[in-house]
Amino acid sequence: MNKRENYLSIINRTGYEQVPIEFSMCESLAQSYNSYIQEHIPDFDILPAYDYIDNLLPEAIPPSVYDFYYQDYDFKPGTYYDLNGVAHEPGSAAAFHMTKMYHPLNNAKTVADILAYPFLNYHNSDTTKQFEQVKATHKKGLAARGDMVMTIWECAWYMRGMENLMSDMLLNPPMAEAMLDKVTEIAVFKAENYAKAGIDVLYLGDDIGMQSSIMMSTKMYRRWLKPRLEMVIAAAKIIKPDLKVQYHSCGYVEPFIPDLIEVGVDILNPVQPECMDFQKLHEQYGDVLSFNGTLGTQTTMPFGTPDDVRRVVFKNLEIAGAKGGLLVCPSHLLEPEVPLANILAYLQACHDFRK
């Protein structure tokens, strides 16, 4: 099997020949890692089994358009607007990728205020690049993945503010419906175009879990988020029925898993081990759901030994068994405190494991 075939066979729980590698690092750690790899093990096969396919480029919105929504703020130097107009103010040098967010629709009072916002327009995007990228990726023997994390919930509350959006959901439903319907409409369009391009895996997600509890009740989730996620997945799978959907949420999401399976999620990420037990989840859902992650970035990767890393990788792959169903990898970005030796132990463990 080539890398793509092996990767998809793991997801489909039909066996595998090798353990794919997948992880991301902060900039400072990446520099140390890349220098070491180039000097010591340049021939080691550390390429992932997939390539990300670029998202559609939306119609450009001049940053000055968003200034209207931040008239009352005096931002620090270096503050920038992301594609959705959310302002990100940098912290100290030690904060790395963390920023303080400001929500452009924080002061919206009516549905008209929501609908007047300059939401991104993807409808005039050039879709040919996605088709070409998928074709080139498959030619290299790799799977094609489309990234749409921050699909609905996070996309909406980043613009509206979490407290505001939750209050709307409880006290002012028309405001919540306007906000969530708009981001869902955009997500459906993007998902449809990824599916038309022929990607293998659609990567969706919203953080709906916290460290020890879910972020909202299952009743609220089923009222507001589940049907909209179902719309996005259905729109893509109607076009490409064999498309696999990976769903990301940090934290404890165990009560939501049956709902995610019901709407068409095929792979759960990152199965954060500080919050959930992989063996328990595999026993409950391993016949219908595959998993991605399970290697703790709050525990094992920064504070364990290389032997600990190897032990966890082997243990979780053994739980999954010969049919696969687990893409074992760190559960989040690797930060500066992660020893290089632990990253190398992860690489070696994946290389050495035999089903």
Side-chain angles (χ1 to χ4, degrees):
M1 288 190 282
N2 62 25
K3 285 181 176 290
R4 177 187 178 220
E5 292 164 342
N6 185 76
Y7 179 75
L8 295 177
S9 190
I10 291 174
I11 294 170
N12 288 318
R13 301 178 297 280
T14 53
Y16 61 101
E17 295 175 355
Q18 55 183 305
V19 178
I21 288 167
E22 178 182 355
F23 64 102
S24 58
M25 301 171 284
C26 69
E27 185 175 348
S28 61
L29 187 58
Q31 291 174 353
S32 301
Y33 167 83
N34 290 331
S35 296
Y36 183 92
I37 294 296
Q38 291 170 10
E39 181 177 354
H40 295 283
I41 48 174
D43 298 325
F44 193 72
D45 184 6
I46 53 176
L47 292 175
Y50 61 87
D51 270 347
Y52 274 116
I53 305 305
D54 289 343
N55 208 333
L56 295 177
L57 289 175
E59 184 177 297
I61 298 177
S64 58
V65 171
Y66 296 119
D67 290 341
F68 169 80
Y69 295 92
Y70 298 106
Q71 298 178 60
D72 298 331
Y73 297 103
D74 184 18
F75 292 131
K76 292 180 183 178
T79 300
Y80 64 92
Y81 302 146
D82 65 20
L83 276 178
N84 287 306
V86 177
H88 294 261
E89 190 175 61
S92 67
F96 299 101
H97 64 288
M98 301 295 183
T99 62
K100 181 177 181 179
M101 288 193 299
Y102 294 82
H103 317 291
L105 286 169
N106 183 62
N107 295 320
K109 303 299 182 186
T110 66
V111 169
D113 292 338
I114 299 290
L115 298 180
Y117 187 72
F119 289 97
L120 295 177
N121 178 18
Y122 288 89
H123 287 79
N124 297 320
S125 302
D126 180 6
T127 61
T128 56
K129 184 179 179 182
Q130 289 185 318
F131 283 84
E132 293 167 355
Q133 284 185 310
V134 171
K135 185 177 179 179
T137 296
H138 288 168
K139 189 174 181 179
K140 290 186 292 185
L142 302 177
R145 242 164 71 160
D147 185 359
M148 283 178 51
V149 174
M150 297 196 308
T151 310
I152 299 170
W153 168 239
E154 285 187 278
C155 186
W157 80 251
Y158 278 21
M159 287 185 274
R160 176 71 174 122
M162 185 183 289
E163 290 183 8
N164 288 330
L165 185 53
M166 283 193 162
S167 296
D168 291 342
M169 291 155 72
L170 290 170
L171 303 173
N172 195 347
M175 290 281 283
E177 287 167 356
M179 189 75 230
L180 293 168
D181 285 349
K182 191 62 184 179
V183 297
T184 302
E185 174 190 326
I186 294 169
V188 165
F189 184 84
K190 292 162 65 178
E192 286 176 336
N193 280 276
Y194 268 136
K196 290 174 184 176
I199 63 169
D200 300 294
V201 177
L202 182 61
Y203 190 18
L204 306 178
D206 290 301
D207 284 342
I208 51 175
M210 299 186 290
Q211 189 74 6
S212 58
S213 68
I214 52 179
M215 191 173 288
M216 64 187 75
S217 69
T218 54
K219 181 180 179 180
M220 182 176 282
Y221 175 79
R222 289 165 186 158
R223 163 69 175 88
W224 291 103
L225 301 184
K226 180 179 177 179
R228 291 174 170 86
L229 178 62
E230 186 172 23
M231 287 174 61
V232 176
I233 294 174
K237 288 195 174 186
I238 285 173
I239 294 168
K240 192 172 188 294
D242 64 343
L243 178 69
K244 297 299 177 183
V245 173
Q246 177 168 313
Y247 187 88
H248 165 87
S249 175
C250 294
Y252 175 73
V253 297
E254 193 169 336
F256 295 134
I257 292 177
D259 297 288
L260 295 174
I261 294 171
E262 188 175 324
V263 300
V265 169
D266 303 291
I267 312 157
L268 180 65
N269 162 275
V271 194
Q272 190 176 332
E274 296 85 7
C275 306
M276 297 187 293
D277 181 80
F278 172 59
Q279 182 162 0
K280 176 187 174 185
L281 296 186
H282 188 269
E283 289 171 356
Q284 286 183 280
Y285 305 110
D287 289 338
V288 293
L289 185 68
S290 293
F291 303 89
N292 174 292
T294 75
L295 187 55
T297 54
Q298 295 177 337
T299 49
T300 305
M301 288 305 294
F303 304 121
T305 65
D307 284 343
D308 293 331
V309 173
R310 185 180 182 86
R311 190 178 307 113
V312 172
V313 169
F314 272 57
K315 175 187 174 184
N316 290 348
L317 287 170
E318 286 164 357
I319 289 170
K323 67 181 181 180
L326 172 64
L327 298 155
V328 65
C329 63
S331 59
H332 212 283
L333 182 78
L334 299 179
E335 300 282 9
E337 64 270 19
V338 175
L340 185 59
N342 284 0
I343 302 177
L344 299 176
Y346 165 68
L347 299 180
Q348 194 65 51
C350 291
H351 180 267
D352 292 346
F353 187 84
R354 294 294 180 269
K355 57 180 171 41

